[in-house]
Amino acid sequence: MSVKTTNHILQIVPHPPGTFDGVGDYALNLARKLSAQHGLTTVFAVARETAIETNEGFQVVSGLGRGGDVHSLMEKCDHVILHYVNYGYQARGVPFGLRQIVRQLREKLRGRWLTTFHELYAWGPPWKSEFWLHPFQVKIARDLIDLSDVCVVSNLPIEREIHRHDARKKVYLAPVMSNFGEPELHDFNAASPRRWAICGGAVLLARSLRSFEQMHPSIPDAFAPDHLDVIGGHEQNSIRALVERLGKNRPGLSCHYHPEVSAEAASQLLRKSSLGWIDYFGDDRVSPGMLLKSTAFAAFCAHGIVPILAHQEGTIAINGASLPGPYYMTGQGLNFPAPERLRETQQQFYSWYHARGDSTRAARTYAEALR
């Protein structure tokens, strides 16, 4: 498949786009908007081997480590966007091979190299591998910062970490967009205050389901759920079992599992809910502000769903514009919107997202960064 030599971008991703993978789906949404609104065509380079050759008309090149096909594309693509999530490229979060490939490709690039840091590196206690591998993860991430002309991040904590390493590095802030659609909504009265949703990838679904079952008795009567939609990720028997157990143990609660669902179908389900549960950090340390890198959180906001968090943190804001709440439910206490202000609160989440975090604004940020 031939590729013209103007206005083409090589997007490097760990997994094929459009395969229920958060980063890959983010890259595909970005490709759509860059093409439609800025005339920039994406070619995907996937680190893992895949039989997929095209997706929605975008070329997909498989096996980044092979080098040959990807290196030839550097003659045909003007810019590169690397989507960096260290555990996506290597099971222990130390992708030394990726770093070497980036160095080789960087030498051939005639345009700009942009790295989107979905993650930088992990922390952990001494009994976890993250603790011992942290120095290597830091070194790889900092090398990639140095190799990049510009960086894009979804939240202030990652931006601060980048500037700790290089205070002069240009960093653009763009909250993660929804992978489950961005509907145009005007009326939230049709969404029942007793209808909840949990969405995301398999790991987040499982963690959120377990804590939701535990915290269910603490939910205020005005929002006591009678319907729960569990949306996203690959089909897993373990998650289906959690959904079935929750429905069995909570009389009056109808639970429904929707794995491997299209963005359009997921959006139709989400727009019926008023509240969403998200256990983003689990037992790990809470890092304030990092929630803005969650596509599940973005999906709730995009649909005017009030996110109820399994942790407590301070104000969540971008450029001085803050979200309501944050609302939470933990073993130490809870904070829910006033029932009579639920619709107003839903509108606030919806308006904040579409003014600051939607795909149109994200694509505009990327297009500016590539100039």
Side-chain angles (χ1 to χ4, degrees), residues 1 18 77 96 122 167 176 189 198 238 257 260-261 344 369 371:
M1 179 177 179
C77 291
F96 292 108
V176 165
N189 289 312
I198 295 173
S238 58
Y257 180 34
E260 302 184 16
V261 65
E344 176 187 347
R371 290 195 187 105

Side-chain angles (χ1 to χ4, degrees), residues 23-58:
V23 174
D25 291 348
Y26 173 97
L28 181 59
N29 285 331
L30 178 62
R32 294 181 185 124
K33 289 293 183 178
L34 287 175
S35 176
Q37 299 176 354
H38 302 279
L40 298 171
T41 299
T42 287
V43 177
F44 289 105
V46 182
R48 305 292 176 90
E49 294 289 341
T50 176
I52 299 172
E53 296 183 352
T54 63
N55 192 315
E56 298 186 16
F58 299 111

Side-chain angles (χ1 to χ4, degrees), residues 64-272:
L64 184 61
R66 291 202 312 268
D69 293 341
V70 177
H71 284 275
S72 67
L73 283 172
M74 297 306 292
E75 301 176 0
K76 305 169 186 176
C77 291
D78 303 278
H79 308 290
V80 169
I81 298 174
L82 168 65
H83 293 274
Y84 186 68
V85 47
N86 56 340
Y87 285 95
Y89 292 99
Q90 204 276 338
R92 305 301 291 273
V94 284
F96 292 108
L98 173 70
R99 181 179 61 181
Q100 182 60 29
I101 292 169
V102 168
R103 285 173 172 162
Q104 294 170 2
L105 297 180
R106 189 72 179 84
E107 294 176 355
K108 300 176 180 290
L109 181 65
R110 61 175 175 267
R112 290 172 68 76
W113 188 288
L114 185 158
T115 300
T116 300
F117 284 98
H118 298 278
E119 294 177 358
L120 275 176
Y121 29 76
W123 292 267
W127 56 87
K128 287 190 174 183
S129 65
E130 293 94 328
F131 178 86
W132 303 103
L133 296 175
H134 179 75
F136 300 105
Q137 294 183 359
V138 170
K139 182 63 169 66
I140 294 170
R142 289 180 173 177
D143 287 346
L144 293 176
I145 293 169
D146 293 339
L147 288 164
S148 303
D149 294 304
V150 63
C151 304
V152 172
V153 301
S154 61
N155 56 83
L156 291 173
I158 294 182
E159 180 184 27
R160 286 194 292 267
E161 285 295 306
I162 291 174
H163 281 151
R164 279 181 59 194
H165 172 63
D166 183 350
R168 295 178 297 177
K169 181 65 63 175
K170 181 65 175 178
V171 179
Y172 288 83
L173 186 63
V176 165
M177 62 187 114
S178 167
N179 283 341
F180 286 151
E182 298 171 334
E184 183 176 345
L185 302 176
H186 303 285
D187 181 14
F188 296 96
N189 289 312
S192 168
R194 297 182 180 275
R195 185 158 179 154
W196 288 59
I198 295 173
C199 69
V203 173
L204 180 58
L205 290 182
R207 185 166 63 237
S208 296
L209 276 165
R210 292 189 183 98
S211 57
F212 184 79
E213 182 177 23
Q214 180 182 1
M215 297 304 302
H216 182 274
S218 300
I219 299 174
D221 290 342
F223 304 112
D226 59 18
H227 188 107
L228 173 68
D229 285 312
V230 180
I231 306 166
H234 291 282
E235 169 87 38
Q236 290 199 6
N237 291 334
S238 58
I239 295 178
R240 186 171 296 280
L242 287 171
V243 173
E244 292 174 354
R245 185 181 75 185
L246 180 60
K248 180 180 178 180
N249 293 341
R250 303 297 175 189
L253 176 60
S254 177
C255 300
H256 303 267
Y257 180 34
H258 311 273
E260 302 184 16
V261 65
S262 69
E264 293 77 13
S267 183
Q268 289 293 332
L269 291 166
L270 287 170
R271 67 184 67 187
K272 298 176 183 178

Side-chain angles (χ1 to χ4, degrees), residues 268-317:
Q268 289 293 332
L269 291 166
L270 287 170
R271 67 184 67 187
K272 298 176 183 178
S273 294
S274 294
L275 296 100
W277 175 253
I278 179 168
D279 189 350
Y280 191 67
F281 296 105
D283 295 330
D284 294 335
R285 182 183 67 180
V286 173
S287 183
M290 294 291 278
L291 199 60
L292 291 176
K293 77 183 189 74
S294 167
T295 56
F297 183 80
F300 287 155
C301 295
H303 290 81
I305 292 174
V306 178
I308 307 297
L309 313 179
H311 70 277
Q312 186 175 356
E313 67 173 89
T315 301
I316 299 172

